[in-house]
Amino acid sequence: ESFDTGTPQGKFALTMFAAIAELEASTITERVMTGKVQKASEGGYNGAQCPLGYDYTDSTFTPNSEADTVRYIFTSFVNGMSQLAIAKTLNDMGKATKRGGQWQQATVRYILTNGFYAGLNQWDGVEKQGTHESIITNEVYESAHKRLQESKRGNPNFGRGT
């Protein structure tokens, strides 16, 4: 529709149509987010990029040959290797990241904080047991998570080798 926005009636009509469009967009957003929270609470997948070490076909995650890289990252970190050293070693080995790039400390950290590898689905603070096969055990994931927490600057033991 074309409106004469120079008249009070035209301005009013345009303002009303804009308000209705905004309400509709907000309603759709709310419904989508409610659905994602519900799916996460049931352990379902919310459509993020398929993690390194998995293939996603027919609504199922299955470990692939990259799963060995994920196991290497967790095992090395739990055994005391730094995130930076892990990244350097993976680059030296010629292993590519999920997107084909070079490994960085932040990329290693992202994998170490991803509970998906231990069979968990995480979404917006919700963490539930997923239905997919895990690449690492919960114990290894918890050990890595504990070490990550200890390496934060706010930790009183930061920098003391603990």
Side-chain angles (χ1 to χ4, degrees), residues 35-155:
K36 286 185 175 237
V37 168
Q38 178 65 31
K39 191 163 193 170
S41 70
E42 295 169 355
Y45 177 55
N46 271 318
Q49 180 183 2
C50 184
L52 179 78
Y54 286 98
D55 290 323
Y56 185 69
T57 52
D58 299 326
S59 300
T60 305
F61 286 96
T62 52
N64 61 26
S65 60
E66 297 169 329
D68 289 337
T69 302
V70 173
R71 286 185 200 98
Y72 172 80
I73 291 169
F74 275 94
T75 303
S76 298
F77 185 71
V78 167
N79 288 331
M81 199 171 186
S82 74
Q83 297 167 56
L84 189 59
I86 293 169
K88 182 179 180 336
T89 302
L90 289 170
N91 288 329
D92 291 345
M93 292 168 55
K95 300 282 187 183
T97 64
K98 180 72 174 179
R99 294 184 180 167
Q102 292 284 305
W103 286 92
Q104 305 291 328
Q105 180 177 352
T107 316
V108 171
R109 183 183 244 343
Y110 176 77
I111 287 176
L112 291 169
T113 59
N114 192 344
F116 195 84
Y117 296 113
L120 303 172
N121 283 352
Q122 300 164 313
W123 172 261
D124 196 27
V126 175
E127 186 174 87
K128 293 286 183 177
Q129 188 63 44
T131 57
H132 61 280
E133 184 180 340
S134 62
I135 291 177
I136 60 164
T137 65
N138 282 329
E139 293 77 22
V140 169
Y141 174 69
E142 291 299 326
S143 294
H145 184 73
K146 181 180 179 201
R147 183 157 181 244
L148 283 169
Q149 293 301 315
E150 291 171 351
S151 67
K152 286 187 176 180
R153 287 195 181 273
N155 186 306

Side-chain angles (χ1 to χ4, degrees), residues 19-35:
I20 290 169
E22 184 178 343
L23 173 64
E24 184 175 348
S26 295
T27 302
I28 290 169
T29 299
E30 182 180 358
R31 287 179 182 159
V32 167
M33 294 309 291
T34 300

